[in-house]
Amino acid sequence: MKNTFYVTTPIYYVNAEPHIGHAYTTIVADALTKFKRQRGIDSFFLTGTDEHGINIERKAEERGIAVKQHVDEIVDKFKTAFARLDINYDRWIRTTDAAHEEAVQKLWTLLKEKGYIYKGHYEGWFCGNCNEFKEVEAGDENPTCPTHLKALERVAEASYFFKLSAFQERLLKYYEAHPEFVQPEARRNEVISFVKSGLKDLSVSRVSVKWGIAVPDDAEHTIYVWLDALSNYITALGWGNEHFDGFEKYWLNEVDGKPVSNALHLVGKDILRFHAVYWPAFLLAAEVPLPKTVFVHGMLLKGGQKMGKSTGNAIKLETLHEHFTNDMIRYFLLREVPFGQDGEVTYEAMIERVNADLANGLGNLASRTLTMVKNYFAGQPPRAFDAEADDAKGVRAALTQAKEKFDDEYAALNFSRALEAAWSGIANVDKFITDNQPWKLAKDEAARAKLEAVISTAYETLRQVVLLVAPVLPHTAKAIWQQMGLAGEPLQFNPREATWGEALEIAKVENVTPAFPKLNKEKIVSEIENSEDHQAMATDSQPNAPSDASPKATTGTTANPVAPTEAANKPSATATTPSSDDTKPATVASSEKIAIDDFIKVELRAATILEAERVPKADKLLRLQVDVGEATPRQILAGIAEYYAPEEVVGKKIVIVANLAPRKMRGFESNGMLLAASVGENGRPVLATFGEEVPNGTRLK
Ligand code: ME8
């Protein structure tokens, strides 16, 4: 069996700028590749961009530029963002690469020759964002996409079909025989039950989409984007084209005389079915060995909602870079969110994690150990392991265990648990240092041997831990390694071969600088909350903001659709939510038109104000507890305090926007906003209410 490793990320759509979600999968792939390489495994890491399809065609049209120019610009943004995160991929595939296009046409021809593609006619409902036809309830004439909440498009045209239905049994057998194929287990079960429910043939060409790869011998049609995009995982290695020669080496493997693949696809759960059903069916049809594993991770959430371009609530990479180093971002994402599960991301949690684990944990171990080497041993680390004290033996034994656990968990993609194991090594040696009080031993000539043993153990533990964490914290690991006087770089050494106390040439420890600064939570959070990006982001996620079709997503401008001064002069319907710094009502210019599917996104509900109080040092804010028919009341901050006394609003029936992402203001979280008309010169808010009794929680449509 060959010892190679091949990992891929999804190839990202070029209809929006990269955000933390894209960075997440790609950082994981990078940290995994570094881990494998450190252990001597020949590895290949592929990422790239998915550039065809109706949505991208439209995006360029909206921007008034050629599609090629549009995709080139967004690809550059992705590449720059990933380079900034120290992501070292081996190849960036673009579905507009000539070699890829050529290979996809070969795959098409192969599937057709084998009898799996036939021509027919398609009628159905299509979502351009999912690039998928959707099942719709009979009689629904205005269906919306359940993911994007946008109106589906009716498509009725000639189409080629892939005989997916012919693969139902073969797929089920394959899942059964290869439990490692779809992971984690819960996703595997989901896929199995989906396939058991029946597979229909798949429409795999479009005549109305021009921006795509032409169907061989029928150039009226373009190839369905998912067939085009999924193929990237093999075309990038040279399958079906002459331009690359990695297919044999990285895709193919042999076990018990049978061809199998080593490939690992990392994907988010949003695209599970494409990878776990369609892709293996295409490969089975083409008689190409299936990837070893499709590992499906969860979604990064904000306020319980998936971060993404449709919701406009994704944390921007620039904001992260302003306040956190790359290593902090990488560590947080791998440590905080168990890989495979959804995870809420907040700046507060990031800062707490950085301070506890990086500044206090690893950083503190490095600086206290190296400072003692400098002060007590003139910078030359002692290597005295013969006469180890019993407790030093304990530290060593625990570290050996931690190393094994780290490798096992990491290889199984349990990054969080792997890091926890490494940090248990840190906690152990920290306690050992504190228990032995080397600062006291240093004052006693007779305790010199003991001091040597203690510092040797601390230094050696640090060395081993730095080797372990290097794939996750490449910069910091290297910086600490250099400060330790060690030669080379930690990523060059296999931790499994680094034996405890081995003879090493070590230069003198000269400068000891903290590996991580301690972050000031209040300061950073308030800076982020007051930043332009954050304001724009909060506005984006409001119902009247343009959806992911907005030019903002592609051009990076932070144009704000809200026009408070203009609207304040006219009586108009106003959604009253305070901005973070004061309580100016945000209003939509009345000339702006929105589509019905934009409106459907807004969840308006009837509610009753149960409690109200003023917010200290915020003249315009009232803090309300509101009954929306849920198990517990919600807190909403409203900018109405200048016009309504708290006791005046208690008991009032109001209308709220119930699906607004939470925002923090003056230290309080606001979970929604109430509706009011903005009347007169000053935009006096008049609360919207009902003419007759309506139960709390009732939706307005
Ligand atoms: O789906 N949390 O591209 P895409 C975690 N082009 N990961 C997230 C995330 C979030 N909130 N948001 C995005 C496509 N991702 C297709 C793929 S592959 C042949 C074609 C990550 O730009 C995650 O990996 O919509 C998710 O699966 C992917 O970005 C979707 O990227």
Side-chain angles (χ1 to χ4, degrees):
M1 185 160 144
K2 271 189 298 191
N3 198 17
T4 59
F5 175 68
Y6 178 44
V7 66
T8 67
T9 70
I11 48 170
Y12 304 108
Y13 284 132
V14 287
N15 57 2
E17 292 191 14
H19 58 66
I20 189 172
H22 307 120
Y24 181 49
T25 323
T26 321
I27 286 172
V28 168
D30 183 67
L32 200 51
T33 309
K34 288 188 165 70
F35 169 89
K36 296 281 182 182
R37 288 215 168 103
Q38 202 187 19
R39 281 146 187 81
I41 296 166
D42 185 345
S43 305
F44 195 92
F45 162 19
L46 176 74
T47 190
T49 33
D50 186 353
E51 305 183 18
H52 290 130
I54 186 92
N55 223 21
I56 289 159
E57 196 174 274
R58 284 185 186 149
K59 190 71 55 172
E61 205 173 282
E62 255 171 45
R63 294 181 64 200
I65 59 174
V67 193
K68 181 73 175 116
Q69 184 191 340
H70 164 76
V71 297
D72 285 352
E73 280 178 22
I74 303 286
V75 168
D76 274 352
K77 291 194 172 173
F78 267 92
K79 284 189 172 171
T80 309
F82 289 172
R84 219 175 150 192
L85 286 161
D86 291 310
I87 288 166
N88 306 117
Y89 49 85
D90 294 291
R91 211 192 139 198
W92 186 285
I93 187 159
R94 299 182 56 174
T95 53
T96 49
D97 288 340
H100 170 79
E101 296 193 347
E102 177 191 322
V104 170
Q105 289 184 322
K106 282 207 182 126
L107 177 63
W108 176 282
T109 307
L110 183 66
L111 298 179
K112 188 141 190 278
E113 279 169 5
K114 287 182 181 287
Y116 292 115
I117 288 183
Y118 63 92
K119 201 169 182 178
H121 182 83
Y122 192 86
E123 268 199 64
W125 296 97
F126 191 76
C127 171
N129 288 289
C130 300
N131 274 312
E132 195 182 18
F133 284 103
K134 302 280 180 187
E135 293 287 333
V136 162
E137 266 182 45
D140 188 351
E141 285 308 308
N142 290 304
T144 46
C145 167
T147 310
H148 295 96
L149 304 175
K150 291 194 160 195
L152 296 175
E153 292 170 43
R154 184 81 191 153
V155 173
E157 60 186 32
S159 173
Y160 285 92
F161 287 82
F162 172 74
K163 279 192 190 165
L164 186 62
S165 57
F167 291 91
Q168 179 162 341
E169 289 314 313
R170 285 176 69 186
L171 283 171
L172 288 170
K173 271 198 196 125
Y174 194 87
Y175 304 137
E176 187 64 40
H178 299 88
E180 76 291 354
F181 178 57
V182 182
Q183 292 182 52
E185 177 83 21
R187 300 289 164 219
R188 177 170 177 262
N189 295 339
E190 202 178 314
V191 166
I192 292 175
S193 77
F194 172 76
V195 174
K196 277 190 178 157
S197 74
L199 293 180
K200 286 193 193 150
D201 289 353
L202 187 68
S203 159
V204 285
S205 79
R206 294 290 302 273
V207 278
S208 48
V209 179
K210 296 293 162 227
W211 182 246
I213 303 175
V215 165
D217 304 324
D218 196 350
E220 275 246 316
H221 293 250
T222 53
I223 296 176
Y224 175 44
V225 278
W226 273 101
L227 175 53
D228 163 0
L230 288 161
S231 314
N232 92 89
Y233 300 130
I234 55 174
T235 67
L237 293 176
W239 185 94
N241 66 79
E242 303 287 297
H243 303 267
F244 305 95
D245 63 357
F247 185 69
E248 287 277 319
K249 184 170 179 189
Y250 293 109
W251 189 272
L252 293 183
N253 203 343
E254 211 181 81
V255 170
D256 302 332
K258 283 198 196 136
V260 294
S261 168
N262 264 348
L264 166 66
H265 297 320
L266 300 177
V267 300
K269 69 178 188 187
D270 51 337
I271 50 177
L272 166 66
R273 196 184 322 147
F274 300 99
H275 284 81
V277 182
Y278 301 170
W279 179 225
F282 296 151
L283 290 172
L284 286 171
E287 292 173 42
V288 174
L290 269 52
K292 184 169 180 203
T293 297
V294 175
F295 197 100
V296 188
H297 66 72
M299 291 290 121
L300 301 180
L301 310 175
K302 189 147 196 283
Q305 223 188 354
K306 176 194 165 188
M307 284 197 227
K309 51 200 169 216
S310 313
T311 38
N313 64 347
I315 288 183
K316 293 207 168 157
L317 293 170
E318 297 87 74
T319 312
L320 285 182
H321 286 301
E322 264 170 43
H323 301 280
F324 304 93
T325 64
N326 284 343
D327 281 3
M328 293 175 184
I329 300 169
R330 292 167 69 98
Y331 178 77
F332 174 80
L333 290 175
L334 267 71
R335 175 67 183 86
E336 187 79 7
V337 184
F339 198 58
Q341 295 175 24
D342 288 349
E344 186 75 22
V345 177
T346 65
Y347 295 112
E348 285 88 345
M350 268 186 94
I351 296 165
E352 279 161 19
R353 193 47 95 180
V354 166
N355 284 345
D357 295 5
L358 299 181
N360 289 345
L362 178 61
N364 189 44
L365 173 65
S367 52
R368 80 199 291 210
T369 304
L370 297 183
T371 304
M372 289 191 285
V373 168
K374 238 181 111 178
N375 293 348
Y376 310 149
F377 296 92
Q380 195 58 55
R383 306 285 287 163
F385 301 97
D386 292 343
E388 276 179 356
D390 279 352
D391 51 353
K393 280 191 193 132
V395 170
R396 175 184 172 172
L399 185 81
T400 308
Q401 261 190 4
K403 276 178 73 172
E404 278 168 19
K405 185 158 168 55
F406 180 90
D407 266 38
D408 289 350
E409 297 285 9
Y410 205 105
L413 312 196
N414 293 325
F415 305 107
S416 186
R417 270 191 249 150
L419 291 167
E420 204 174 79
W423 259 257
S424 76
I426 295 177
N428 258 321
V429 78
D430 263 339
K431 179 169 184 309
F432 166 80
I433 295 171
T434 307
D435 288 351
N436 281 287
Q437 302 188 314
W439 40 93
K440 283 199 182 149
L441 299 176
K443 289 187 190 137
D444 178 3
E445 219 17 72
R448 190 71 189 164
K450 173 94 185 181
L451 179 67
E452 276 188 15
V454 170
I455 302 301
S456 299
T457 294
Y459 181 93
E460 185 60 3
T461 308
L462 178 63
R463 180 176 83 99
Q464 302 269 348
V465 167
V466 166
L467 286 177
L468 285 188
V469 303
V472 180
L473 302 168
H475 271 282
T476 315
K478 188 171 163 187
I480 298 177
W481 194 257
Q482 282 169 350
Q483 287 188 40
M484 292 177 82
L486 292 162
E489 288 188 29
L491 281 174
Q492 296 168 331
F493 298 96
N494 184 345
R496 293 188 200 194
E497 288 164 8
T499 51
W500 180 268
E502 64 188 320
L504 294 168
E505 269 195 33
I506 307 176
K508 260 177 133 178
V509 172
E510 306 269 4
N511 298 317
V512 182
T513 49
F516 295 98
K518 192 113 190 232
L519 303 180
N520 180 330
K521 187 156 89 179
E522 282 68 35
K523 182 167 174 283
I524 293 179
V525 170
S526 114
E527 276 171 16
I528 292 174
E529 280 183 355
N530 291 319
S531 70
E532 223 176 277
D533 264 357
H534 185 78
Q535 306 283 350
M537 199 168 94
T539 313
D540 279 353
S541 59
Q542 284 174 18
N544 41 32
S547 64
D548 58 349
S550 91
K552 176 183 167 301
T554 50
T555 59
T557 59
T558 49
N560 190 332
V562 168
T565 43
E566 187 193 333
N569 294 329
K570 301 178 201 141
S572 63
T574 305
T576 300
T577 185
S579 61
S580 303
D581 53 345
D582 67 16
T583 57
K584 264 186 240 129
T587 48
V588 192
S590 54
S591 60
E592 197 167 290
K593 299 277 188 289
I594 60 164
I596 182 73
D597 49 20
D598 285 325
F599 175 71
I600 286 168
K601 281 173 146 182
V602 189
E603 201 182 306
L604 297 175
R605 292 195 185 273
T608 301
I609 300 177
L610 302 176
E611 290 171 31
E613 60 180 67
R614 293 187 188 278
V615 174
K617 295 196 211 124
D619 296 346
K620 301 176 184 170
L621 276 185
L622 282 190
R623 180 153 74 99
L624 311 172
Q625 305 303 326
V626 166
D627 180 352
V628 199
E630 297 165 331
T632 49
R634 284 190 189 207
Q635 174 165 285
I636 293 183
L637 282 106
I640 55 172
E642 285 179 316
Y643 299 93
Y644 286 96
E647 54 280 11
E648 209 181 326
V649 294
V650 171
K652 262 199 191 312
K653 183 71 79 178
I654 53 165
V655 179
I656 70 155
V657 180
N659 61 340
L660 204 58
R663 294 178 68 189
K664 236 183 174 171
M665 277 167 277
R666 309 277 169 173
F668 296 107
E669 193 170 273
S670 182
N671 287 294
M673 75 187 178
L674 47 81
L675 294 193
S678 173
V679 178
E681 289 272 303
N682 302 324
R684 178 173 64 87
V686 176
L687 295 180
T689 188
F690 299 92
E692 59 186 88
E693 187 46 37
V694 175
N696 290 331
T698 308
R699 182 143 188 201
L700 282 79
K701 291 195 238 184

